[in-house]
Amino acid sequence: MLKYSIVVPFHNEEDNVTTLYDRLKGVMDQVGETFELVFVDDGSRDRTYRLLEEIAAVDSRVMVIKLRRNFGQTSALAAGFDHAQGEFILAMDGDLQHDPQEVPTFLAKLEEGYDVVSGWRVARVDNVMLRQIPSRAANWLMAKLSGVDIHDFGTTFKAYRREVIQNIPLYGEMHRFIPALASWYGASICEIPITIVEREHGKSHYGISRTFRVFFDLLTIRFLLKYMTRPLHFFGTIGALGMMGGTFMAMWLLVLKVATGQNIMLLHGPLFVIAGVLILAGVQMMGIGLLGELQVRHFHTANNRAPYAVDRILRLRSSEESLLQ
């Protein structure tokens, strides 16, 4: 097995591909261990894939995965993780804002025994109002909700042990919450400061709309961390409270009817309706909880369904591998 896998998703980064490859290769050659570079083309419309194809044609340590369309960063990372062969896996962006010179620091922390090493963008260079302030608020809230004490969940620049990252299902935009999901599996997590520089070429794919989506994802993560394996505890509690409240109201109205002979619908019609709605809603919530339990069972059944579709995979076989064929 290879020692290290470096996974890099690209989307319309033709100006950065060759430079990043040269820098990464130079850094990993100095590390002195076996490695591979897993480059994922996430449906680029420029010359990104052509350049990656040229790189893979001359370097057997490079694997290029071409997705059929733009599936998004999380799916591109999932494709890279699924095909990576290294014992330790590091992910980074392909826009040169992540400095390859910092890769050995991540790898050293993994060697110390940590399962997840997360980058911390201490001094950010993006827009203060549109990016930095919303990001800090989201990171603070995420740390409180997940119980993982790190400052920066959003950066892609992270390193993982293979057995940890392969146990985490990735879909939607969940890549930023990998530390929180890994903590559910008992992973040890640390954080190291990283330097972020201005993009040398190309245009950022991030905007304020992405920040708003993060807050919705926070609710999902909170639910997953606390009730992922026991959804009936969440929905069942709400359902039980609803049924108890509705039943109490209905019993009180029944006693009132028997004791006083009042016209309940005329005098207490709204309360009677509320009681019926609470009981019905409670039953429905209990049913949702039971359906959730079935989904959990399905989740823990191997289905091997990936959130992406691969068009082709390129890799030049080394001379040693050719001799063994």
Side-chain angles (χ1 to χ4, degrees):
M1 177 183 290
L2 296 171
K3 185 72 171 180
Y4 302 118
S5 293
I6 313 297
V7 176
V8 186
F10 291 96
H11 179 62
N12 296 336
E13 298 288 356
E14 62 181 1
D15 295 323
N16 299 318
V17 169
T18 303
T19 303
L20 179 61
Y21 163 70
D22 290 336
R23 294 181 184 178
L24 267 179
K25 182 168 66 69
V27 169
M28 295 309 297
D29 284 337
Q30 293 178 5
V31 170
E33 295 282 356
T34 56
F35 71 92
E36 66 175 353
L37 304 178
V38 182
F39 294 154
V40 183
D41 175 49
D42 187 23
S44 298
R45 296 185 177 181
D46 59 5
R47 297 178 60 250
T48 297
Y49 174 70
R50 294 301 178 193
L51 294 172
L52 293 175
E53 194 176 35
E54 293 173 4
I55 293 172
V58 298
D59 192 341
S60 62
R61 298 171 298 183
V62 174
M63 176 190 295
V64 176
I65 302 171
K66 184 179 187 301
L67 302 186
R68 291 187 176 275
R69 63 171 177 84
N70 178 227
F71 285 89
Q73 191 172 26
T74 298
S75 295
L77 286 171
F81 294 154
D82 288 345
H83 292 85
Q85 302 174 22
E87 178 183 352
F88 298 140
I89 300 174
L90 182 140
M92 62 189 300
D93 287 338
D95 56 9
L96 294 178
Q97 287 194 289
H98 294 159
D99 187 0
Q101 294 295 331
E102 296 183 329
V103 168
T105 307
F106 283 85
L107 303 182
K109 284 294 183 180
L110 290 177
E111 294 286 1
E112 289 180 16
Y114 290 102
D115 297 313
V116 178
V117 183
S118 181
W120 175 16
R121 296 167 290 183
V122 179
R124 300 185 58 164
V125 296
D126 42 16
N127 187 279
V128 175
M129 294 300 297
L130 296 180
R131 293 295 307 281
Q132 294 190 34
I133 293 178
S135 178
R136 288 176 182 175
N139 283 317
W140 177 84
L141 185 58
M142 186 66 224
K144 295 300 181 182
L145 292 177
S146 67
V148 179
D149 189 20
I150 63 177
H151 300 82
D152 191 352
F153 286 85
T155 181
T156 307
F157 210 176
K158 295 181 176 72
Y160 318 93
R161 289 185 180 273
R162 178 186 182 87
E163 59 270 19
V164 172
I165 194 60
Q166 291 193 334
N167 280 328
I168 299 175
L170 293 180
Y171 56 91
E173 295 186 7
M174 291 297 180
H175 70 275
R176 62 173 62 88
F177 301 118
I178 291 177
L181 295 172
S183 69
W184 188 85
Y185 290 95
S188 58
I189 303 168
C190 74
E191 190 174 39
I192 61 175
I194 59 175
T195 302
I196 299 294
V197 298
E198 293 280 2
R199 287 178 64 99
E200 298 180 15
H201 306 284
K203 182 180 179 181
S204 175
H205 305 301
Y206 297 88
I208 187 65
S209 62
R210 191 183 186 103
T211 302
F212 285 119
R213 293 198 297 269
V214 170
F215 286 99
F216 293 112
D217 289 337
L218 288 175
L219 300 177
T220 302
I221 290 298
R222 177 59 178 173
F223 179 82
L224 288 177
L225 291 176
K226 194 168 184 180
Y227 299 106
M228 182 165 64
T229 58
R230 47 194 180 97
L232 186 58
H233 288 209
F234 176 79
F235 294 105
T237 300
I238 298 176
L241 290 175
M243 287 189 292
M244 289 173 58
T247 301
F248 176 79
M249 291 181 186
M251 293 299 295
W252 182 78
L253 292 174
L254 178 61
V255 170
L256 194 63
K257 174 68 175 179
V258 172
T260 65
Q262 295 180 0
N263 188 327
I264 297 300
M265 287 302 298
L266 180 63
L267 299 176
H268 304 285
L271 190 61
F272 183 81
V273 173
I274 291 174
V277 169
L278 284 176
I279 294 173
L280 180 60
V283 173
Q284 290 178 331
M285 293 300 288
M286 291 287 287
I288 291 174
L290 292 172
L291 289 175
E293 293 288 339
L294 293 177
Q295 288 296 317
V296 169
R297 181 178 180 85
H298 177 70
F299 173 79
H300 288 285
T301 302
N303 51 31
N304 297 321
R305 183 174 181 180
Y308 56 87
V310 175
D311 182 38
R312 68 195 70 174
I313 298 176
L314 300 178
R315 187 161 200 168
L316 177 68
R317 285 187 295 182
S318 64
S319 57
E320 291 83 356
E321 291 174 330
S322 299
L323 290 174
L324 292 175
Q325 295 298 322

